[in-house]
Amino acid sequence: MSELKPMINALLRSKIGAVLLLVQVAITLAIVSNAAFMISDRLAYLNQPTGYDESAIFSFRVNNFDPDINLVQQYALDEQAIRSLDGVVDVAMTNWVPLSGSGDSSSMHTSPPPEMGRGVRAAYQLTSDSALNTLGATLIAGRNFRADEVVHSDNRDNLPTTAIVTKDLAEEMFPDESALGKTVYQGQGALKIIGVIDTIKGPWLDDSRPANVIFFPFNYADSRAEFIVRTEAHKRAQVMAQIEELLLNNESQRVIYRIEGLDESKAAYMARDRLVMRMLIVLIVVLVLVTALGIFGLTLFNISKRTKQIGTRRALGARRSAIVRYFLVENALVASVGIVLGAGLAMLLGQQLMTVFSLPSLSWTFVLASATFMLIMSLIAAWAPAQRAANIEPSIATRSI
């Protein structure tokens, strides 16, 4: 404590360097805290459970060009042919692929217009009675679609009257009662809930309600169709390699494309988030290195200016450990002021990011962890210059007089 006053006086004599350093520490702490928090948030997002065996499912698209073809019959033949392949568990036609970032959604209501009742947004999937088995979804209440409930059509004149929902959607639409047997409305269309399945994610993982999904038993036979296939373990690649040739043998005037695994679709959808996360990691590393070099340089500069002072102290009997401690405490003092300023700056920056980019509120845990890291880093950066100061011989110092 007795060294604090001369230490502060020494810093005030070279205050420009000290001020620049504490500003650098404060800015680094503010950015590192928020960047670390954003990385943690992205990691949780990237690693969230989806409810699928992603390594066993793949999808593909078909574009038909023959105007005379009966698409309802053709797609039924395609599904039958795919099921005959070795290793295929099931196949279903669909209007979107889970986790792909592309799909359809609508507001579902508990009452018909004009009352409407409670309204909840959900991704809706047009598919068939084979969808649950293909996706590996677990039915937790009610039943699956019967074959006679599935509408196969190339127009929307005849719509289904039943639906299956995820438990997440069921709980949000009917929070205090069972959704089974209830009727939900999509516009004027009424659909009776006949089954509830365990949580699976829809097409948008970054949606505020990614697990709100409703299934309609409707195989809409458009010229452009999408299929999902589930295979036995380790047989996905083998089945994927046979799909194009198999379907072209059934009908040649069409194109089979985007044959890709569910994990590949998910990776493509999340590519931007992974890139942002890597850029944030690089930003943190660069900022920390620059700040560490700043501390290293300032300590060296202070030592070069105080060679006489250090030599005098050594001549008066000061131990090397005392010299090392002096410079470490001095750097810790500067870093601590910067950390206090940086903590406040970090929270202000976090509030701005929350407002502008709709990010979650910055947790103090990340600020405290980053502050601890910055303090340790400042001590490590100052250690080598402090050791150099401790090795100054009294005779060398006195020669500089």
Side-chain angles (χ1 to χ4, degrees), residues 116 120 318:
M116 306 296 279
V120 177

Side-chain angles (χ1 to χ4, degrees), residues 47 58 94 131 196 336-337 363:
N47 295 319
F58 72 94
T94 180
V196 179
S336 297
V337 176
S363 167

Side-chain angles (χ1 to χ4, degrees), residues 249-318:
N249 286 337
N250 278 353
E251 165 58 44
S252 60
Q253 294 188 48
R254 56 182 173 173
V255 174
I256 317 299
Y257 64 107
R258 289 194 68 171
I259 306 173
E260 61 183 20
L262 192 59
D263 49 352
E264 296 167 333
S265 300
K266 178 185 169 186
Y269 173 54
M270 292 181 158
R272 187 183 61 177
D273 296 280
R274 292 187 186 280
L275 177 63
V276 169
M277 192 177 68
R278 288 167 183 160
M279 290 175 65
L280 288 174
I281 292 173
V282 171
L283 176 66
I284 288 176
V285 171
V286 170
L287 275 176
V288 169
L289 282 177
V290 169
T291 305
L293 286 173
I295 294 171
F296 183 86
L298 180 67
T299 309
L300 278 181
F301 177 71
N302 287 336
I303 289 170
S304 66
K305 287 183 64 178
R306 299 180 207 167
T307 304
K308 177 183 173 183
Q309 175 191 347
I310 298 168
T312 303
R313 290 192 62 185
R314 292 278 291 119
L316 293 174

